[in-house]
Amino acid sequence: MTNTSVSIFEGKSIVFNRKKEFILGLWEDICNRISKTHAELLSSYREQVTEIFEDTKKANIIDLSPLECLLDSLFKLAALYDQERSNLADKTSQGEKLELISKAKERLESFKLEASEKVKKVSSSEKKLKRVVKKLQTLQQERENLQGVIEVTQKEVEEIQTKVSAVETEVSSYDNINLLTDEDSANLEEKKKNLETSCQELINYKFCLD
């Protein structure tokens, strides 16, 4: 006859083990989350972790005081770290200082270069302005000379217009003049010949004294 072992169902032991597994799993999860959290954010988890521990302690399965001390120490250090970061917020590291100086020097050189370009532009503009002023003075003199020529020429134009008006009047008067016809010319020529003949006869006349 073979002896067979009979398993004994112990309910309390099973519940205890399950609770223990749950607590250990919970602690592992907390440690995992803390390990992946930046130091700057650790303090923000304190309230949540404390609440979990308070609920877990009520189960009274295992002694959590050592873990609680470790967590308390961790969060105290996190608080000190936060305080120190706050105190140093207005201070700058050597690397940041050098970076700020470097950027400031870059801006300084940029502004110096821009200022140099502006100075060159001002100098060039001043030279152009002098040339323009000189040219304007020359143009002003030419303007005055041309104004004098215009005034003289205007007077000459007025005189010529007076002469033109007189000639136009003269031309208009010719509209009423009697034209010399061919007949008039023939008569005039005949009278001229008669006159010349008469003159010749007068010259050739000799007194008869016999």
Side-chain angles (χ1 to χ4, degrees):
M1 183 176 180
T2 305
N3 292 328
T4 58
S5 60
V6 179
S7 61
I8 301 174
F9 182 78
E10 297 180 356
K12 290 183 179 181
S13 177
I14 292 174
V15 171
F16 175 82
N17 290 333
R18 293 301 182 188
K19 287 183 177 182
K20 184 177 179 180
E21 289 176 2
F22 171 74
I23 292 172
L24 292 176
L26 184 62
W27 170 247
E28 183 179 355
D29 184 57
I30 291 174
C31 290
N32 186 43
R33 290 177 181 274
I34 289 176
S35 66
K36 295 179 180 179
T37 302
H38 292 292
E40 292 80 2
L41 300 176
L42 281 176
S43 294
S44 63
Y45 289 162
R46 180 166 191 167
E47 184 177 349
Q48 299 176 18
V49 173
T50 300
E51 184 178 349
I52 292 173
F53 253 78
E54 291 298 324
D55 290 340
T56 306
K57 282 164 54 177
K58 294 177 182 179
N60 197 23
I61 302 298
I62 57 177
D63 184 12
L64 298 177
S65 57
L67 297 179
E68 191 173 10
C69 289
L70 289 175
L71 282 174
D72 186 60
S73 176
L74 174 68
F75 287 123
K76 284 182 179 179
L77 291 174
L80 290 174
Y81 175 69
D82 291 343
Q83 182 62 43
E84 189 65 18
R85 282 197 309 117
S86 177
N87 294 337
L88 298 178
D90 296 333
K91 295 184 179 181
T92 305
S93 66
Q94 183 66 18
E96 291 174 337
K97 177 182 177 181
L98 293 176
E99 184 178 1
L100 290 173
I101 292 174
S102 176
K103 290 182 178 180
K105 286 183 177 180
E106 288 179 2
R107 293 198 305 273
L108 178 61
E109 291 301 321
S110 176
F111 289 145
K112 284 183 177 180
L113 180 61
E114 184 178 0
S116 176
E117 294 297 328
K118 296 297 182 183
V119 169
K120 291 180 181 178
K121 187 174 182 179
V122 169
S123 177
S124 175
S125 298
E126 287 178 344
K127 291 179 181 178
K128 289 181 180 179
L129 179 60
K130 289 180 180 179
R131 290 197 296 269
V132 170
V133 170
K134 186 175 181 180
K135 188 173 182 179
L136 286 175
Q137 291 174 345
T138 302
L139 291 174
Q140 179 64 25
Q141 185 62 45
E142 291 180 1
R143 176 183 176 278
E144 293 175 358
N145 295 339
L146 289 173
Q147 187 65 37
V149 171
I150 290 172
E151 291 176 357
V152 172
T153 306
Q154 186 66 35
K155 290 180 180 180
E156 293 176 348
V157 169
E158 291 175 357
E159 293 175 358
I160 293 174
Q161 286 178 340
T162 301
K163 293 178 180 180
V164 168
S165 179
V167 173
E168 286 177 344
T169 302
E170 181 182 352
V171 170
S172 297
S173 67
Y174 293 154
D175 291 338
N176 299 323
I177 195 171
N178 293 324
L179 296 177
L180 182 66
T181 64
D182 293 340
E183 184 179 356
D184 293 333
S185 297
N187 291 332
L188 180 63
E189 186 64 25
E190 183 180 358
K191 287 180 173 56
K192 181 180 179 182
K193 287 180 179 180
N194 292 335
L195 178 60
E196 290 175 348
T197 300
S198 178
C199 286
Q200 190 63 39
E201 289 177 351
L202 179 62
I203 293 171
N204 294 332
Y205 178 79
K206 293 181 179 180
F207 289 100
C208 292
L209 299 177
D210 297 338

